[in-house]
Amino acid sequence: MKILGQLDGQMNGICNAIRNCEWDPKVMLTNLSIMEEKIHQLQDLVHLIVGRRTEAVKGSEELAAQQQQLINADLTSIIVQLISTAGSLLPSAKNTFSSGNPLGSQLGQPGGIGYPSGSSITGNNNVNKVEDHSNQIDLIGNNVEEHDQKDEEEVDEGEHLPPGSYEILQLEKEEILAPHTHFCLICGKGFKRDANLRMHMRGHGDEYKTPAALAKPHKEMCSEAPLIKRYSCPYIGCKRNKDHKKFQPLKTILCVKNHYKRTHCDKSYTCSRCNTKKFSVIADLKTHEKHCGRDKWLCSCGTTFSRKDKLFGHITLFQGHTPAIPLDENKGMVDLSDHGEGNEAPSKVAQTDFDFSSNDFQNILDGKGIANDDTRIFSPLDFDTGSLGGFSDFPRPPFEDSASSLSFLISDACNYPRETGRSSISNNLG
Amino acid sequence: MKSSSCLVSLLTDDLLVNILDKLSGDDSATKSFRSVCKAFHQAESAHRTSLKVLRLEFLPTLLNNYTSVDTLDLSDCPRLDDGSIAALLGGDTSIDLSWTRRLRRLVLSRCVGLRWAGLELLLGSCTRLESLDFSSCGGFGDREAAVVSCVVGLKEIEMDRCFGVSDFGLAKIVVGCERLEKLSLRWCDEISDLGIDLLSKKCVFLKHLDISYTKIGGESIRSISTMQRLEVLAMVGCGLLDDVGLHHLQDGCPSLQVIDISRCNNVTSLGLTSVIRGRNNLLQLRAGHYYFELSTIVLNCFMGLNNLQTIRIDGAQVSEHVLQIIAGSCKSLVDIGFSKCKGVTDFGILQLVLGCFRLKILDLTCCDKLTDLAISAIAESCRNLLCLKIESCNMLTEKSFGYLGSCCFLLEELDVTDCSGVNDEGLRHISNCSNLKSLKLGHCINISDKGLSNIASKCSNMIELDLYRCKGVGDEGLAALAMGCKKLKKLNLSYCIQITDEGMQCIGYLKELSELDMRNLSKVTSAGFSYFASGCMKLAELDMKNCDNITDSGFLALSCHSKNLIQINLSYCRISDVGLYKLMGNLTCLQDAKLLNLTNVTMNGFDLALRASCFRLKKVKMLALVRSYISMETLNFLQARGCKIKWD
C-alpha cells in the first residue's frame, strides 16, 4: 500500500509536469525512467509474493486476493502514467487536458481497466488534494494508510466490506487510551477539545484554514468526500488488527477505544454493589450497575441466572434451593420510603436520592437555580466519553456507611454531593 | 360462707373445664370466674389457650401464669420492635421461656416496628409454631420472609399487605415451609406469576390460597389448576385476570370447595362458567360485583351445584327465573347474597325461600323492589334465619318487622339501615327477636327513645348497635340502653344531635363498650364526656370528630381513664396543645390517631404530641400544612418505627 502511495505521488508529479509545460523530451525521459523504476519495484513485489507462496502454500485466499489487488493497482497506475505520457504528445489531448477535463474519463474508455469514472469527477482538484494529503501525512508523522482512490466507487456500506475497499486507520495505543472525545476524521488523532481539533485540521489542508471551517465543526467538509474509513486495533495478533488473517475492521473510533480497553486492558472499574464484576470501559460499568443485583439472579446454591424465570425454574427443579436474598443491606429504613421493590429497593432509592441531591446541591453552589442537569458543565475535568454523569468517576460511598438507620437519607443528601461538589467549587473559585 | 366455699370445692376439674368451655368468648364472665377462688383461678389459667396482650411488659408474667397458651396475639401491642423482642427473649437467662415452645399460633399483624432481626429472634425460639400471621406489616420484605421460612413446621401463613415481599420472599417461604396448608397473600402486589408457579409446585399440601388484590394473571391460574388438594381459592379484585385465564381452572383443582372471584373486573359470565362447571362438591361461590347478567349457560352450571351452601352474586342482574333455578337446584343453601342485585322481586324471593328453607344468612341490601310480602315469606319459611340484611329496602313497612318478630326468634343480626319503614312500632316487633346481637338502625329517622327502650329492655345480648343519624334518639333512649344492653361493645351515636351530657353519662355505664362513634355531638360537653370516659375503661376505639363543646378537661379525663384506647379520631375538636400532649402522652396503647383541623393546637403542639407518642404510633393522619412545622427528627423517627403518616 505504501508503495502505491508513493506511486500516486509520483504520478501526480508527472501529471503536473504534463499540465504545466509543453512537450519536453527531458520530461518524457524522466517520466519513462520513473516508470521503469516502478516496474522494477512491482517486479520485486511479485518476486516476494512468489517466494512467500512457496513458503506457505496454505496461505489464505484472502491474502492472495489482497496481493493480487495490490499488484493490479500498481499496474493500473503504471498504465495510466504511460497513457498520460503518451497522450501529452497528441495536440488534442493536450487541449482537453489543459482545460481541466477529467483524467479518468479518457482513460476509462480505451483501457476498460475499470478506472472508476466516479472518482475522477473531482478531477484536478482531487489530484491536488491527494498531494496535500501525502505532504500532511509526512508532516504529522502518523502511520495512516494511503487511501486507494480506485476503489472508492466499489464502496459497500454493508457489513462485509471487501478488503482494501476502505481506508484503514490504526491509532496508537496511547492515542486510544487518552481520554479524548474529538477525533480527526482524516488521521484519527484524538483531542480533548474540539477547538484543538480544528487547529489540527488546518494542517490537513487549506480548506480547513478558512474562518468558516475553524468556526464550525467539520461536518460540512466531509460531506464533500465521504471517505470510507475503518479502523485497526494496534494490538498485534488481535483479530481486529489489520495484519490478522481474518482481519475484521472496526467501524468507528469509539469502537476502537472500547474494543482496545475491553480486550487488551486491565479491568480497573469495579462495581460498587457486587464488588465482583470488573470493567475497563466505564460505560459498561454503568450499564452493569443499572442491572446489578436485579438481573443477576442468584440461587442459594451459588448458581447465577441472567433471568428471573430461569432462576425460578431452577428452584422448582432442585429440592431445597431458594433464591438468595442479599443480607448486607439496610432494609428497614428504605422500605418505608419505597414499599414497592423488595430487596432491590435500598440501592435504588439511594441512587435516585443522591442523584437529585447532587444536582440540587450544585445548582445552589452555582447560584443557577434550576440549571442544567448535565453535571459535566460544572466539572473542570474532562471525563471519558463513556461517563454520562460527572460524578461517576468519584468513588461511590458504600451504602453500609450511611446505614445508621435514621440519618440514612439525610447523610446521603449532604455527604455525597460534597464529594462531587468539590470539583464544582474549585471550578467556580479558580 | 363456709358452706358455699365447700360446695365450690366439690366441683371437679372436668366440670370446671366444662363450665369454662361454655364461658369462652365472654371476657367479663371469665374474669368473674377467675376471682371466685384459687381453684377456679388455676382452672381458668390452665384452660385458657389464647392470649391477646395490649402491653408487652406484662407478657412474661401472663405467659408464666397461663401455662396452656398456644395462641399469642401481639397485633395490638404498641412499641413492639426488635429491641423489645430482644428484651423479652434474650438478656436475662433466668426468664422461663418454655412458653415459646408451647406456641402454635402467633399473630404479629400490624407490628410495623418489627424487623427481621427481632423476628428471627422470636421465631427462632418458637420452634413448634404452626400458624403465623404477619399481615399489614408494611415494612416486611423478602428478608423477613426468609426468616419466616426457617420455621419449617408452619402450616398457615397470613401475609396480607406485606407490600415488600416479592417473588423471592415467597420462594423462600414455599421452599422452607413445605407443609403449608393455608396461605394468604392479599394485596402482596409484588408477587407475580413466577412466584405462584413455584408455590403450586412446592406446596403440594396447600388447601387454602388467597391471592386477592394481587397482580397475578392467567399463568398463575394455570399453575394453580395443578394443585390437587386445594379447597379454598380466593381471587378477589384481581384486575389482570380474565376469562381466558380462568379457563385454565376448568379441569384443575379437583378438591376445590370454595371459590371467590368477586370484583375481578375483566371476568364475564363466561369466566364464571369455566370456574363452576361440573364442580358438584362446590360449597361456596362468591362472585359479587360483576354487574352483568347471568347467562343461561351460567344458570345451567348452577343446576349441577347440588351441595352449594353459600352463593354471593352481589350486583348481578337476576330475574325470577334465576332465583327459581337456584332454589330448585341448590337445596342446601344456607347463605345467600343478592346485595345490589337488580331484578329481585317479591315473587322471586317467594320461590327462593320455598326451596332454601335452611337459610341462615340472607343479604338483600338495596333490593329496593321488595315489599312486606317478601319479608313475610322469608319469616314464614326460614325459621332458622340468623342474619338478615335489608338496608335501603324502602317499600317495607312496620308489618315486615312484625313477621320477623313473630317467626325469626333466632335472628342475631339485622341490618335495617335507611329503611324508612322502621318506626317505634317496628322496633317493638323487632325486640321480640331477643337473641339479637347486632342491630343497625342508621338513617332510621322515624325511631325515638320509645322504640329504643323496647329494644333495650328485651335484647339483652346486644353487642353492636348502630344509631347513626337517628335524630329521634335522645338521652332517655340511651338511659334505657345502659340499663338493658350491658353487653354492648360497639355503639354508633354519630349525628344523634339530641344527645346531651346526661346521655353520655348513661353510656358510661356500659362497661364492656370498646368502640364508640360519637361524631358531631355538639350538646355534649366536657362534664358528660369525662363521666363517660371514667366509666368505659375498655374503650379501644373512639371517633369524636367535630364534638366541638368538649374542651381540655374532657380530654384530660379521657387520658386518665381510657388506658386501653388504641384508635382515636380527634378531627375538628377543640383540644389545645396541653390536651393533645397529655392525651397522646398518657394513652399508652394509642396507635392510630386522626388529627385534622385542630384549630386550638399550635404547630409546636403537634410536634410535641407526636414526640410524646412516637414510640407507639402506627398510623397518623394530619393536615398537609402541618408537615413543615414538624421537626425532621420526629418525622424520621416515626418513619423508622414503621408509622404510616397520611397527609390530608
Side-chain angles (χ1 to χ4, degrees):
Chain A
M1 294 295 226
K2 269 260 157 75
I3 303 161
L4 205 84
Q6 283 173 8
L7 289 177
D8 275 353
Q10 284 157 351
M11 187 192 81
N12 294 333
I14 296 162
C15 290
N16 281 344
I18 294 163
R19 204 188 318 143
N20 292 342
C21 45
E22 293 294 318
W23 182 76
D24 193 343
K26 273 186 183 172
V27 176
M28 177 67 90
L29 195 67
T30 340
N31 285 350
L32 284 175
S33 60
I34 288 170
M35 271 188 278
E36 192 185 18
E37 202 181 305
K38 266 189 199 175
I39 291 167
H40 274 296
Q41 280 177 348
L42 196 60
Q43 212 174 0
D44 288 345
L45 190 70
V46 176
H47 267 298
L48 196 74
I49 290 166
V50 170
R52 270 189 194 164
R53 276 204 176 165
T54 48
E55 271 175 33
V57 195
K58 289 181 283 182
S60 71
E61 286 187 13
E62 205 178 306
L63 188 70
Q66 227 172 326
Q67 287 165 341
Q68 198 188 338
Q69 236 167 350
L70 202 68
I71 292 158
N72 274 347
D74 278 13
L75 277 173
T76 314
S77 85
I78 292 165
I79 292 162
V80 166
Q81 220 167 339
L82 190 66
I83 291 169
S84 63
T85 315
S88 65
L89 297 171
L90 302 168
S92 59
K94 194 166 62 186
N95 285 339
T96 50
F97 218 85
S98 53
S99 66
N101 243 9
L103 173 70
S105 59
Q106 290 178 332
L107 302 170
Q109 288 152 358
I113 346 157
Y115 196 96
S117 52
S119 70
S120 48
I121 291 166
T122 41
N124 295 337
N125 291 338
N126 205 22
V127 171
N128 277 334
K129 211 187 278 175
V130 170
E131 193 176 34
D132 277 336
H133 270 219
S134 56
N135 287 341
Q136 196 55 51
I137 287 154
D138 290 338
L139 210 136
I140 297 165
N142 232 333
N143 58 339
V144 181
E145 301 286 311
E146 251 314 307
H147 174 65
D148 194 356
Q149 279 203 347
K150 185 192 78 168
D151 293 318
E152 205 181 273
E153 197 201 47
E154 251 95 55
V155 162
D156 175 23
E157 282 299 334
E159 282 303 305
H160 304 288
L161 293 172
S165 68
Y166 45 84
E167 182 184 27
I168 298 171
L169 295 166
Q170 183 171 295
L171 278 75
E172 287 303 325
K173 182 184 152 199
E174 291 75 19
E175 202 68 31
I176 289 169
L177 296 179
H180 297 158
T181 49
H182 304 280
F183 293 91
C184 173
L185 287 181
I186 294 164
C187 66
K189 189 171 165 59
F191 298 90
K192 286 179 184 174
R193 291 170 186 82
D194 188 50
N196 292 359
L197 169 66
R198 273 178 273 140
M199 290 297 280
H200 159 87
M201 290 308 281
R202 298 192 309 173
H204 281 307
D206 284 337
E207 63 269 36
Y208 299 107
K209 288 177 184 167
T210 59
L214 285 171
K216 282 182 181 179
H218 42 257
K219 273 177 188 167
E220 289 167 38
M221 235 78 69
C222 5
S223 64
E224 195 180 293
L227 309 175
I228 294 299
K229 290 189 175 70
R230 287 294 179 266
Y231 298 86
S232 156
C233 170
Y235 195 89
I236 307 297
C238 172
K239 203 177 183 182
R240 302 296 199 171
N241 182 261
K242 62 183 183 329
D243 296 332
H244 193 275
K245 280 178 189 172
K246 292 180 178 176
F247 171 56
Q248 285 180 327
L250 291 151
K251 263 192 171 177
T252 64
I253 291 166
L254 198 67
C255 289
V256 178
K257 283 171 76 80
N258 284 342
H259 158 78
Y260 192 82
K261 285 183 189 169
R262 278 177 190 141
T263 15
H264 310 302
C265 289
D266 287 338
K267 296 180 174 173
S268 47
Y269 302 107
T270 314
C271 173
S272 62
R273 294 199 190 155
C274 59
N275 276 322
T276 46
K277 274 272 180 186
K278 290 182 174 186
F279 302 91
S280 46
V281 176
I282 211 159
D284 293 353
L285 171 71
K286 291 209 145 252
T287 318
H288 162 78
E289 281 188 334
K290 259 183 221 163
H291 301 280
C292 181
R294 186 168 46 181
D295 276 11
K296 205 163 190 300
W297 308 104
L298 178 67
C299 177
S300 55
C301 67
T303 322
T304 55
F305 299 88
S306 59
R307 278 162 54 184
K308 192 180 169 188
D309 54 331
K310 301 278 178 202
L311 167 65
F312 273 73
H314 167 87
I315 289 165
T316 314
L317 220 60
F318 293 93
Q319 198 74 26
H321 288 207
T322 59
I325 291 168
L327 300 177
D328 52 344
E329 59 186 9
N330 169 43
K331 275 215 60 134
M333 187 56 218
V334 183
D335 265 8
L336 298 168
S337 44
D338 185 358
H339 290 301
E341 276 303 311
N343 55 331
E344 297 103 47
S347 39
K348 216 186 263 175
V349 170
Q351 182 80 41
T352 47
D353 238 326
F354 68 64
D355 265 349
F356 284 122
S357 52
S358 66
N359 276 340
D360 290 347
F361 194 76
Q362 283 177 332
N363 291 340
I364 293 160
L365 277 175
D366 291 76
K368 285 184 181 177
I370 316 148
N372 207 327
D373 279 342
D374 191 355
T375 38
R376 263 179 297 181
I377 60 165
F378 300 114
S379 170
L381 297 170
D382 268 313
F383 290 103
D384 225 354
T385 34
S387 75
L388 301 169
F391 48 82
S392 61
D393 281 21
F394 294 101
R396 282 162 194 272
F399 295 119
E400 290 79 21
D401 279 1
S402 48
S404 53
S405 62
L406 266 184
S407 56
F408 182 76
L409 294 173
I410 316 163
S411 68
D412 251 353
C414 343
N415 288 343
Y416 194 70
R418 219 166 275 156
E419 280 216 63
T420 48
R422 198 169 46 196
S423 58
S424 64
I425 295 165
S426 60
N427 194 17
N428 287 339
L429 297 176
Chain B
M1 186 67 200
K2 199 179 178 185
S3 62
S4 70
S5 71
C6 284
L7 276 176
V8 162
S9 63
L10 284 176
L11 293 169
T12 62
D13 283 356
D14 289 352
L15 279 172
L16 287 181
V17 167
N18 269 330
I19 295 169
L20 281 166
D21 282 341
K22 291 264 190 315
L23 289 180
S24 65
D26 194 339
D27 283 348
S28 55
T30 333
K31 204 172 174 182
S32 317
F33 184 91
R34 201 166 59 221
S35 45
V36 171
C37 66
K38 214 168 187 179
F40 274 44
H41 189 274
Q42 276 172 357
E44 206 271 333
S45 298
H47 183 263
R48 182 182 277 270
T49 54
S50 76
L51 204 58
K52 183 172 183 174
V53 285
L54 267 177
R55 290 179 177 81
L56 206 60
E57 51 268 36
F58 300 138
L59 189 62
T61 339
L62 285 171
L63 287 168
N64 284 332
N65 288 342
Y66 293 101
T67 47
S68 306
V69 166
D70 59 8
T71 301
L72 183 60
D73 187 343
L74 300 174
S75 57
D76 280 339
C77 262
R79 296 174 172 259
L80 188 84
D81 55 18
D82 293 357
S84 53
I85 292 292
L88 187 70
L89 297 168
D92 197 351
T93 46
S94 62
I95 300 173
D96 180 18
L97 289 179
S98 58
W99 60 269
T100 55
R101 286 183 288 281
R102 288 197 299 268
L103 281 190
R104 296 290 174 88
R105 176 168 165 79
L106 185 60
V107 181
L108 296 172
S109 167
R110 294 197 301 281
C111 294
V112 289
L114 196 64
R115 289 291 174 275
W116 64 270
L119 193 68
E120 198 166 30
L121 209 57
L122 186 60
L123 296 184
S125 55
C126 302
T127 44
R128 293 175 62 193
L129 215 56
E130 286 178 359
S131 169
L132 180 64
D133 180 353
F134 56 96
S135 46
S136 298
C137 291
F140 272 31
D142 292 340
R143 188 79 195 269
E144 282 78 11
V147 172
V148 169
S149 72
C150 297
V151 190
V152 287
L154 277 177
K155 287 181 178 167
E156 291 180 16
I157 295 179
E158 280 154 80
M159 44 188 279
D160 308 349
R161 289 172 202 272
C162 288
F163 305 113
V165 178
S166 71
D167 286 339
F168 291 97
L170 183 64
K172 281 274 181 198
I173 287 175
V174 298
V175 173
C177 314
E178 279 185 321
R179 275 176 279 173
L180 216 55
E181 289 175 9
K182 181 180 176 183
L183 180 64
S184 182
L185 299 168
R186 280 178 170 245
W187 296 102
C188 294
D189 48 10
E190 287 289 303
I191 305 282
S192 74
D193 291 345
L194 275 179
I196 299 294
D197 185 50
L198 188 69
L199 169 78
S200 69
K201 290 186 174 109
K202 292 284 180 185
C203 296
V204 287
F205 299 107
L206 205 69
K207 286 180 183 166
H208 184 127
L209 178 62
D210 191 339
I211 44 172
S212 302
Y213 304 102
T214 54
K215 288 175 182 161
I216 57 124
E219 278 308 305
S220 290
I221 303 301
R222 191 204 293 269
S223 317
I224 288 168
S225 69
T226 61
M227 304 175 84
Q228 301 296 310
R229 289 187 176 86
L230 198 68
E231 291 171 5
V232 181
L233 178 60
M235 308 177 277
V236 184
C238 294
L240 298 180
L241 213 56
D242 54 12
D243 292 344
V244 183
L246 279 180
H247 190 75
H248 295 305
L249 211 56
Q250 190 158 20
D251 301 314
C253 297
S255 318
L256 212 55
Q257 292 174 357
V258 178
I259 299 178
D260 192 345
I261 48 167
S262 306
R263 293 178 200 274
C264 296
N265 294 330
N266 289 324
V267 175
T268 68
S269 54
L270 200 69
L272 186 61
T273 318
S274 48
V275 169
I276 61 174
R277 177 175 286 159
R279 293 198 183 275
N280 295 326
N281 46 3
L282 200 67
L283 297 180
Q284 291 188 24
L285 173 65
R286 293 165 196 270
H289 303 281
Y290 278 100
Y291 307 104
F292 60 72
E293 200 167 353
L294 294 170
S295 64
T296 45
I297 315 165
V298 178
L299 289 177
N300 287 339
C301 294
F302 273 138
M303 287 185 192
L305 305 174
N306 299 320
N307 296 313
L308 203 66
Q309 292 176 355
T310 300
I311 181 167
R312 298 271 174 146
I313 46 170
D314 307 345
Q317 176 87 42
V318 297
S319 61
E320 283 158 13
H321 181 58
V322 172
L323 296 181
Q324 198 177 0
I325 288 179
I326 290 174
S329 45
C330 314
K331 293 282 185 190
S332 12
L333 277 175
V334 289
D335 180 354
I336 295 181
F338 288 143
S339 164
K340 298 194 177 181
C341 282
K342 291 186 180 68
V344 179
T345 59
D346 287 345
F347 187 64
I349 292 295
L350 204 67
Q351 286 180 314
L352 185 76
V353 293
L354 281 177
C356 310
F357 52 88
R358 291 195 188 91
L359 218 54
K360 284 184 178 166
I361 299 168
L362 183 57
D363 185 352
L364 297 170
T365 302
C366 299
C367 295
D368 46 12
K369 284 178 186 158
L370 297 182
T371 67
D372 294 339
L373 198 67
I375 303 299
S376 89
I378 293 167
E380 287 287 335
S381 312
C382 312
R383 301 277 170 149
N384 296 326
L385 204 64
L386 295 177
C387 169
L388 179 64
K389 294 185 179 179
I390 41 174
E391 180 184 337
S392 294
C393 293
N394 277 313
M395 313 262 278
L396 304 182
T397 67
E398 62 205 46
K399 277 186 204 162
S400 293
F401 307 110
Y403 301 132
L404 286 177
S406 56
C407 298
C408 303
F409 299 115
L410 297 177
L411 204 63
E412 289 182 356
E413 196 180 340
L414 181 63
D415 186 349
V416 287
T417 305
D418 207 8
C419 288
S420 49
V422 181
N423 52 23
D424 287 344
E425 185 63 15
L427 283 186
R428 196 176 62 80
H429 292 307
I430 290 172
S431 66
N432 286 330
C433 308
S434 53
N435 275 324
L436 268 182
K437 286 181 178 164
S438 166
L439 179 59
K440 292 189 176 162
L441 298 167
H443 288 288
C444 291
I445 44 175
N446 296 325
I447 61 168
S448 69
D449 291 339
K450 198 181 154 198
L452 196 59
S453 305
N454 273 325
I455 295 284
S457 60
K458 288 188 186 169
C459 307
S460 55
N461 288 326
M462 194 73 79
I463 289 172
E464 182 183 358
L465 183 61
D466 186 351
L467 297 169
Y468 181 82
R469 282 190 199 271
C470 292
K471 283 187 267 180
V473 172
D475 296 339
E476 277 176 46
L478 294 187
L481 210 61
M483 293 296 288
C485 305
K486 292 280 189 194
K487 293 180 181 171
L488 210 60
K489 283 188 176 171
K490 221 172 150 181
L491 182 60
N492 192 335
L493 298 174
S494 296
Y495 303 99
C496 296
I497 43 174
Q498 286 191 34
I499 293 171
T500 67
D501 280 352
E502 260 175 67
M504 280 315 284
Q505 205 168 331
C506 297
I507 293 169
Y509 291 109
L510 296 168
K511 300 290 176 198
E512 296 294 316
L513 198 68
S514 71
E515 284 181 42
L516 178 66
D517 271 29
M518 45 176 289
R519 289 189 180 188
N520 212 39
L521 299 189
S522 39
K523 285 184 184 170
V524 176
T525 66
S526 298
F529 185 73
S530 305
Y531 204 91
F532 150 76
S534 62
C536 301
M537 307 282 275
K538 289 193 175 175
L539 199 68
E541 290 181 29
L542 179 63
D543 188 338
M544 48 188 301
K545 183 177 169 180
N546 229 343
C547 287
D548 46 13
N549 270 324
I550 299 172
T551 54
D552 272 2
S553 58
F555 292 110
L556 289 180
L558 188 71
S559 70
C560 288
H561 299 291
S562 299
K563 293 289 187 192
N564 293 328
L565 202 66
I566 293 172
Q567 194 177 319
I568 196 167
N569 186 350
L570 287 173
S571 303
Y572 296 93
C573 281
R574 280 177 57 196
I575 195 170
S576 75
D577 282 357
V578 182
L580 189 65
Y581 177 75
K582 280 275 182 191
L583 204 64
M584 302 287 275
N586 277 4
L587 296 177
T588 47
C589 282
L590 195 69
Q591 294 158 37
D592 185 345
K594 293 192 174 74
L595 309 170
L596 299 178
N597 288 61
L598 305 181
T599 43
N600 287 354
V601 176
T602 64
M603 298 304 172
N604 243 338
F606 278 110
D607 193 36
L608 269 176
L610 287 181
R611 273 168 194 262
S613 57
C614 55
F615 279 99
R616 303 183 298 267
L617 284 179
K618 291 177 181 173
K619 219 169 158 186
V620 191
K621 194 175 179 182
M622 284 181 287
L623 276 186
L625 60 95
V626 178
R627 184 177 196 160
S628 49
Y629 295 95
I630 291 171
S631 68
M632 210 52 201
E633 250 176 71
T634 317
L635 285 182
N636 284 331
F637 192 80
L638 282 171
Q639 279 190 335
R641 299 277 307 188
C643 176
K644 210 167 152 185
I645 311 177
K646 198 174 175 195
W647 303 103
D648 203 43

